[in-house]
Amino acid sequence: TQSTWAADKDSTDDESNDNSNACEVDAARVAPPPESCPQSASHAYSESEQVAALRAECAELEGRLRSDAAVHARVIREMDQNFRRQMSRLKAEIAEAQATAEDAKSRTVGSWVSFLGKQSKDIISSVVSLPARLQSKQRPASGCFSAFEREQIAIVQSAYESHLGPLHEFLQTNRRPTDAGVLRPAAQLPQITAGFWTTQVSVRAPFSVPARRLLEAIAQYQEGRLARTLPLSFTFDDDPCSMVLAELKTWVVTRFGQPIESRELFVADLRQRLAFVSVLLTQDVFPPGKGRTVTMRSVLRATETTIAAALSELGQTLPAGAVSSEPAPASLAPAGAAAASAAASDDDPDADGF
């Protein structure tokens, strides 16, 4: 019995010890170590700071992005506005250019239509009136003036008598232009070569040089004019043009190209001659033909210029309008150029080739 009780007691003690040990083990499992709690709190605090810092950085970055986006949006809006303004201005300029081009086109077309219409009318009028004009310049017989020549000589004789006195023999006709019947020159006209005339100019004349130049210009024109042999040129060596030039050359060698005996009479003669030449130019008695480089008008203009220069050299002043406003010839061509300058083609049968 004692041994059994002792055995039971030992067994009970063993179980108590086992239970005690088990409790200690469970307690060790449940309760954390004494040093483990402060470390966990510190670790949790560090993570929250990092999260807060990260959130702050994100918020700052988001603010920057929003600010940059606003700036870029404003720049884009301004660029878009500038682009729209430039496009509007460009469209307006294109529209204006198109309108100008259309206006210029319409004006050009209108001008061409007007020009062609005028040219057509002129051509038709010229063709219609051509027979009458040709007939007026057709001489009824050899040595007799045509209707056109009768009109010319009538103006020449009237102007000469008004400014220079009685008609020179080279300007006289066998009948007055107003008389009925055939009209022809009353005198035989002299030769036209320059040497025949220039040798008659006095070397002692104060205006001998311009006198010779004027004679050479006249001879150059006449030689070239008579060299034209076109059927419809209406050029004759005894027409009013030749009569005027014969009288003019006679005046040059007898008055202008001689020593001055009376200054007063010389000046008066120059003024009268200038008035006569001005009438021929103003009334266009000898209209130039097409294709001419030396014409009767240029010879008369050279005469007018030469006389005006002589009066100026003599200290004389001319009233306004005494000299034609038409540009004077730059120079009188040398006699050697006569054939080339005056033999230009004349494609207008109505132009009389003066």
Side-chain angles (χ1 to χ4, degrees):
T1 305
Q2 290 181 353
S3 59
T4 302
W5 179 84
D8 292 335
K9 183 178 180 181
D10 290 336
S11 177
T12 302
D13 291 337
D14 291 336
E15 290 177 0
S16 299
N17 289 333
D18 291 337
N19 292 333
S20 176
N21 291 333
C23 290
E24 291 178 359
V25 172
D26 292 336
R29 289 178 180 176
V30 174
E35 294 90 2
S36 63
C37 291
Q39 291 179 356
S40 299
S42 176
H43 179 70
Y45 179 74
S46 177
E47 287 182 354
S48 62
E49 284 184 346
Q50 291 179 358
V51 171
L54 184 59
R55 288 179 177 176
E57 290 179 1
C58 291
E60 183 180 0
L61 181 59
E62 183 180 3
R64 291 179 182 176
L65 292 176
R66 290 181 182 276
S67 177
D68 292 343
V71 171
H72 290 311
R74 184 173 65 254
V75 171
I76 292 174
R77 285 195 302 271
E78 293 177 355
M79 292 177 62
D80 181 67
Q81 292 174 357
N82 292 334
F83 175 75
R84 292 179 182 276
R85 284 194 296 267
Q86 292 178 0
M87 287 298 296
S88 300
R89 184 168 58 252
L90 183 59
K91 289 180 180 179
E93 292 177 356
I94 292 174
E96 183 180 358
Q98 290 177 343
T100 304
E102 289 295 331
D103 183 62
K105 181 179 178 181
S106 62
R107 289 184 179 181
T108 302
V109 173
S111 300
W112 273 106
V113 171
S114 176
F115 172 76
L116 293 177
K118 184 178 182 303
Q119 291 295 316
S120 300
K121 290 181 180 178
D122 293 343
I123 293 174
I124 294 174
S125 175
S126 178
V127 171
V128 171
S129 61
L130 181 59
R133 293 200 305 272
L134 292 178
Q135 184 177 3
S136 69
K137 294 184 178 181
Q138 187 70 39
R139 286 189 165 187
S142 178
C144 300
F145 287 162
S146 65
F148 181 73
E149 291 173 325
R150 289 197 295 269
E151 294 177 1
Q152 286 181 313
I153 197 63
I155 298 174
V156 169
Q157 290 178 338
S158 175
Y160 193 94
E161 291 176 333
S162 297
H163 297 285
L164 295 172
L167 290 175
H168 188 276
E169 61 174 326
F170 292 148
L171 295 179
Q172 295 178 8
T173 54
N174 62 341
R175 290 179 182 273
R176 301 293 296 176
T178 55
D179 295 339
V182 176
L183 187 70
R184 69 181 71 221
Q188 182 70 32
L189 300 181
Q191 58 179 298
I192 63 175
T193 56
F196 175 79
W197 296 96
T198 56
T199 56
Q200 301 181 48
V201 176
S202 174
V203 294
R204 297 185 295 109
F207 299 106
S208 60
V209 174
R212 289 192 182 93
R213 293 186 64 195
L214 186 56
L215 290 172
E216 290 173 356
I218 296 173
Q220 169 189 335
Y221 164 67
Q222 284 188 293
E223 290 171 2
R225 180 171 182 260
L226 295 178
R228 298 194 295 266
T229 57
L230 294 177
L232 298 178
S233 63
F234 302 106
T235 300
F236 306 98
D237 59 358
D238 60 350
D239 59 3
C241 178
S242 300
M243 296 170 67
V244 169
L245 293 177
E247 189 280 330
L248 177 60
K249 290 185 290 187
T250 303
W251 171 79
V252 171
V253 299
T254 59
R255 302 294 297 274
F256 187 67
Q258 297 298 321
I260 300 176
E261 296 180 359
S262 171
R263 179 187 177 91
E264 183 178 356
L265 294 178
F266 186 76
V267 169
D269 183 49
L270 289 179
R271 289 184 178 276
Q272 292 168 356
R273 176 64 55 169
L274 181 63
F276 169 66
V277 174
S278 297
V279 171
L280 301 184
L281 286 171
T282 303
Q283 297 194 22
D284 201 18
V285 180
F286 303 102
K290 293 182 179 179
R292 304 287 184 251
T293 55
V294 179
T295 65
M296 179 62 172
R297 186 173 184 84
S298 66
V299 172
L300 292 175
R301 187 69 183 92
T303 303
E304 184 184 51
T305 304
T306 301
I307 296 174
L311 287 171
S312 178
E313 188 172 340
L314 292 172
Q316 303 295 312
T317 57
L318 298 175
V323 179
S324 174
S325 59
E326 178 182 346
S331 63
L332 298 178
S341 60
S345 63
D346 187 354
D347 54 0
D348 184 1
D350 184 46
D352 211 26
F354 296 109

